[in-house]
Amino acid sequence: MRKFFKWTGLTVLFLIVALVVIVWALQYKTYDAEYPNVRASSDSAVIERGRYIVTSLGHCADCHAPENAYEDVMAGREVSLHGGRVFKLPLGTVQAPNITNDPTGIGDWKDEEIARSLRHGVGKDGRALFAFMPFQDMTDDDLTAVISYLRTTKPVKNEITVRKLNPMGYFVNAFFIKPVGPAAPPQKYIAADTMVEYGQYLANSVSNCKGCHTNRDLKTGAFLGAAYAGGFHMESVTEPQKWEVVTPNLTPDPETGHITNWNEQKFIERFRQGKVISHSTMPWGPFKRMSDLELKAIYKYLKTLKPEKNDPGPMVRELK
Ligand code: HEC
Ligand code: HEC
């Protein structure tokens, strides 16, 4: 009997050690992905488009600007992107890195390396990125614009340790995090007009409406619910321990759709108003600067969604 326990004990110990070694080794797993054929441009119109995406449509500042710049971000002002928000997740903490044109940011990176991170979810060092950013299907022209703008930013020296994972984080990272790449062959260009196609492009691949207005698994970033049916819980940006926000259903369901009875004008006016619920994670500041054209296109797209019956309840709640 004693011998039996000794051997099972040793086997269990062996398995634990093996698991730890495998999990540790997999932290260094790298992936291959092609480098998009994208180069920064010094054309002022291209840089302007990039500035608009970074400061408004793609709200990079909402994550990559330091936390003490939050008021400026919410006011829709242009801020330095030298390392930003700290996300406290079940996996540990992840901080948005410095993306200014400094060696501690992206100063030393090739344009194609930045483009590959954003399009294929494979970091400069080959590791799978966590799915914070929805830009995989961004057009070549818009990627070019974003990178061209980043090249004009003032270099700010700020070394950041992006990931501080806990044991669960190491485990999930080892087995569940894979690079998220484009859903379709990347397009070179999309016409910026009030058509549904442009609205769909913005909502899914630039402004991340889908990423927040769909329920997700906070551990892996995987989508759980019907697209745009809401119900994604996130901790408050002002009092994370005490409050949470929950995204409303944006599909045109007659009973549970949050904007089913809104018209285009009300939709645009709501965006011009900016943040109302202080706890909200929605980047209202950057979005406030969106032009009517973009908002019309997004509104039109949301109206074409399949109605999904889902009532996520109040948008802000106190945690018990
Ligand atoms: C919702 C928050 C969020 C938004 C919005 C966001 N980022 Fe990020 N970004 C992150 C986080 C977090 C990481 C680190 C991910 C990781 O290492 O797994 C990151 C990483 C990066 C990286 C480094 C990738 C690498 O290879 O290590 C670049 C470059 C970048 N972001 C650029 C951008 C640009 C440009 C935009 C806007 C067009 C943007 N980000 C918008 C959160 C965000
Ligand atoms: C980072 C997460 C996030 C992103 C990205 C996001 N939202 Fe939201 N959204 C929320 C949360 C949380 C709420 C509820 C709190 C609030 O109203 O601010 C919300 C609320 C809303 C509301 C209801 C506002 C009201 O006052 O009734 C609308 C409409 C909306 N979002 C549309 C959009 C659209 C369109 C996009 C893309 C352009 C988008 N959201 C992107 C998180 C997000």
Side-chain angles (χ1 to χ4, degrees):
M1 204 55 179
R2 212 187 264 158
K3 215 169 176 183
F4 172 77
F5 280 119
K6 188 173 151 206
W7 282 109
T8 24
L10 280 176
T11 312
V12 169
L13 187 70
F14 172 77
L15 289 176
I16 291 174
V17 171
L19 183 68
V20 168
V21 170
I22 292 170
V23 165
W24 176 74
L26 285 174
Q27 302 306 311
Y28 299 92
K29 187 169 169 152
T30 58
Y31 294 85
D32 280 327
E34 59 182 297
Y35 290 99
N37 187 14
V38 160
R39 298 283 148 78
S41 151
S42 52
D43 182 305
S44 61
V46 174
I47 292 171
E48 253 345 281
R49 171 77 181 166
R51 186 193 316 276
Y52 182 40
I53 296 173
V54 169
T55 60
S56 175
L57 302 178
H59 57 273
C60 319
D62 192 54
C63 294
H64 287 278
E67 291 190 327
N68 62 15
Y70 189 68
E71 293 299 318
D72 286 334
V73 174
M74 278 309 126
R77 283 189 277 270
E78 206 172 332
V79 290
S80 169
L81 309 176
H82 58 267
R85 254 164 68 185
V86 177
F87 295 90
K88 294 196 186 68
L89 303 169
L91 309 180
T93 61
V94 180
Q95 185 172 11
N98 179 352
I99 55 168
T100 67
N101 210 19
D102 183 80
T104 57
I106 51 148
D108 288 345
W109 297 30
K110 297 199 187 82
D111 296 337
E112 306 92 290
E113 289 172 331
I114 307 173
R116 187 179 79 159
S117 289
L118 298 178
R119 177 164 288 166
H120 294 285
V122 174
K124 181 180 188 300
D125 58 6
R127 283 190 288 179
L129 298 180
F130 291 137
F132 281 89
M133 300 180 285
F135 312 119
Q136 292 75 19
D137 291 287
M138 200 179 249
T139 61
D140 286 354
D141 281 7
D142 280 348
L143 269 184
T144 302
V146 165
I147 295 166
S148 306
Y149 168 74
L150 292 180
R151 290 296 182 214
T152 69
T153 57
K154 189 168 144 263
V156 176
K157 192 168 169 201
N158 189 26
E159 197 80 61
I160 284 186
T161 307
V162 177
R163 296 179 180 187
K164 291 181 187 144
L165 302 183
N166 57 31
M168 157 128 95
Y170 285 120
F171 182 78
V172 171
N173 189 41
F175 298 112
F176 298 101
I177 304 296
K178 301 269 169 334
V180 180
Q187 285 177 283
K188 165 128 185 34
Y189 161 85
I190 186 162
D193 55 26
T194 59
M195 305 301 277
V196 172
E197 287 69 31
Y198 186 51
Q200 173 170 11
Y201 168 71
L202 294 174
N204 294 340
S205 309
V206 183
S207 303
N208 207 24
C209 316
K210 181 176 167 202
C212 283
H213 285 272
T214 307
N215 194 11
R216 295 175 81 169
D217 182 345
L218 262 183
K219 288 197 247 1
T220 60
F223 286 94
L224 300 172
Y228 291 99
F232 185 27
H233 292 237
M234 283 166 276
E235 61 180 22
S236 155
V237 285
T238 50
E239 289 176 274
Q241 256 71 56
K242 284 175 129 175
W243 294 83
E244 67 170 1
V245 284
V246 183
T247 49
N249 181 348
L250 297 183
T251 74
D253 180 59
E255 282 165 47
T256 60
H258 187 80
I259 60 169
T260 306
N261 299 323
W262 293 19
N263 58 21
E264 185 189 83
Q265 194 194 343
K266 173 154 183 197
F267 186 78
I268 294 175
E269 278 167 10
R270 177 63 193 85
F271 275 80
R272 295 283 165 258
Q273 210 181 351
K275 189 182 275 208
V276 176
I277 295 173
S278 65
H279 300 288
S280 182
T281 51
M282 179 152 157
W284 288 107
F287 286 167
K288 207 169 150 175
R289 313 174 65 181
M290 271 196 211
S291 71
D292 282 5
L293 179 136
E294 267 83 20
L295 289 170
K296 282 179 184 170
I298 292 174
Y299 179 77
K300 207 179 262 178
Y301 167 62
L302 294 175
K303 287 287 161 190
T304 69
L305 292 170
K306 184 168 153 273
E308 295 285 349
K309 198 170 294 304
N310 181 41
D311 180 5
M315 297 195 291
V316 54
R317 324 178 178 177
E318 195 165 0
L319 292 168
K320 299 268 163 23

